[in-house]
Amino acid sequence: MPLTEARFFGAGDVRLLTAEPASPGPAEVAIAPLAVGVCGTDSHIVAGSFAAAPQVVLGHEVCGRIIEVGPAVDGLAVGDLVTVEPHDYCTRCTYCRLGQEHLCDDKRGYGVKLDGGMTERMVVPARIAYRLPDGTPPWIGALTEPLACCLHGMDQLDPRSGLPILIFGAGPAGAMMVALARARGLAPVVVLDPRDDRRAAALRMGADAAFDPASLDEATALTDGLGFPHVVDAVGAGRILESAIAVSSRGGRVLVFGVARPDDEARVRPHDIFARELTLVGAVINPYTHHRAVRLLPTLGLDRLRPAFYGLHQLPEALAAQRAGTADKVFIAPHGIAAARG
Ligand SMILES: [Zn+2]
Ligand SMILES: [Zn+2]
């Protein structure tokens, strides 16, 4: 039976097409995607501001059920609920050979360069399908990928428990950062976001306090005026980095996690970095954190987030909802909303 899939043809041009289902190769599995997260990257691809392969199937935050396994596949069976680690690496470049595959010269993301999950059927190598505990709601399962990215961010920040953290931005990533910060024993966990609903989401996820960015001084007062030893930019903007550095304590560590515009700039005083002995770290995607994210997933109370679901044919509405931020997280439900909710 033909299946429906959402393919990207160019800026502003996403088409729903039908295709004949492909069979999995010997070491591949076919998955019925049940919930596929819509993230900023998808919006940027469709807007033409993030490079993607022409005619690629979108969707990189995928949770689905296995419907067919290749003859050489071990350890996965039809009916298993899985999350996909959506990257392919060249395995031969210097970075790949140093265990830094996420910095690979020829990294290819599913849903960006390779066909992703916004389809009724997705075929992937079995080694990138990670089994989830039975009974995991598929939309929670689809959070594994963004959670794995947050986990890599936390690894890069390498915070010390018992000390404060300030998180700029309480979108889906910022909200998951809050949950991770709590799990790592950071206190207080303080969030800045201009939107009421996002501050509310941060508080639901366990933030101790959430302020409008205009109230930065009130936030800093929670550290007795010392500043924050840990600061996360979960927005991605030069002006946020400037504020993050300004509000760091001496010896502070600043994580650049949000995706800034490539041409955005920040004014940084080298003397600040030197005299206050600051550390600036970046984090991109999810090297070796997908496995750990699967294990953390049931412990973080991610069901406190408020999801919104759209069918494959409603992708434009889903992208608009993602951009507007009207739900905590937006999902495509290729096999219906009930199947995505679980
Ligand atoms: Zn994403
Ligand atoms: Zn490589």
Side-chain angles (χ1 to χ4, degrees):
M1 204 172 73
L3 56 95
T4 304
E5 52 191 22
R7 287 191 183 270
F8 167 76
F9 276 73
D13 185 4
V14 178
R15 301 180 202 170
L16 268 196
L17 300 176
T18 52
E20 287 308 313
S23 290
E28 292 181 328
V29 292
I31 297 167
L34 300 181
V36 184
V38 178
C39 97
T41 304
D42 300 305
S43 280
H44 289 303
I45 290 172
V46 175
S49 54
F50 191 98
Q55 300 190 31
V56 78
V57 175
L58 295 171
H60 58 275
E61 302 177 359
V62 185
C63 176
R65 208 169 281 290
I66 293 186
I67 49 178
E68 201 177 334
V69 297
V73 172
D74 252 352
L76 288 173
V78 170
D80 285 349
L81 191 70
V82 295
T83 156
V84 175
E85 194 293 283
H87 297 98
D88 180 71
Y89 306 107
C90 83
T91 75
R92 294 178 302 275
C93 74
T94 301
Y95 298 105
C96 281
R97 289 180 170 171
L98 291 173
Q100 297 173 306
E101 284 93 338
H102 64 302
L103 304 177
C104 174
D105 288 343
D106 189 23
K107 172 177 75 190
R108 296 189 304 164
Y110 288 81
V112 181
K113 298 279 170 65
L114 303 167
D115 283 347
M118 291 186 189
T119 168
E120 291 174 322
R121 179 184 169 101
M122 178 187 194
V123 174
V124 296
R127 68 184 157 74
I128 65 168
Y130 291 53
R131 193 167 40 212
L132 289 164
D134 260 353
T136 306
W139 70 274
I140 298 279
L143 293 172
T144 309
E145 194 273 347
L147 177 63
C149 297
C150 292
L151 202 46
H152 177 49
M154 274 293 170
D155 285 356
Q156 291 286 87
L157 187 64
D158 193 18
R160 278 204 276 176
S161 56
L163 292 177
I165 185 168
L166 178 66
I167 299 170
F168 282 86
M176 279 192 276
M177 280 289 193
V178 168
L180 278 180
R182 279 233 79 93
R184 285 180 88 132
L186 299 174
V189 176
V190 184
V191 172
L192 294 175
D193 198 289
R195 294 177 58 136
D196 293 344
D197 52 346
R198 290 198 158 171
R199 291 197 298 273
L203 293 169
R204 268 203 319 282
M205 294 307 289
D208 295 289
F211 298 98
D212 186 278
S215 306
L216 188 57
D217 288 350
E218 262 181 88
T220 313
L222 296 174
T223 67
D224 299 326
L226 286 177
F228 288 87
H230 312 109
V231 186
V232 176
D233 168 11
V235 177
R239 67 191 158 71
I240 302 265
L241 179 58
E242 290 170 3
S243 299
I245 289 172
V247 80
S248 288
S249 65
R250 292 197 285 272
R253 297 177 65 83
V254 175
L255 169 67
V256 178
F257 185 74
V259 185
R261 282 203 336 264
D263 59 347
D264 200 4
E265 294 179 349
R267 288 174 66 87
V268 175
R269 289 189 213 95
H271 188 269
D272 264 355
I273 311 282
F274 157 72
R276 292 164 55 211
E277 206 169 83
L278 303 181
T279 304
L280 241 62
V281 291
V284 67
I285 68 170
N286 56 346
Y288 297 100
T289 48
H290 208 83
H291 174 82
R292 289 159 55 205
V294 166
R295 302 191 62 110
L296 268 174
L297 199 66
T299 73
L300 292 176
L302 296 177
D303 54 356
R304 287 173 287 178
L305 293 170
R306 292 182 183 157
F309 300 100
Y310 295 84
L312 267 177
H313 60 289
Q314 295 170 305
L315 183 55
E317 291 91 326
L319 290 165
Q322 187 279 326
R323 283 192 302 274
T326 44
D328 293 341
K329 182 73 185 181
V330 174
F331 297 90
I332 293 293
H335 291 273
I337 291 174
R341 275 193 187 279

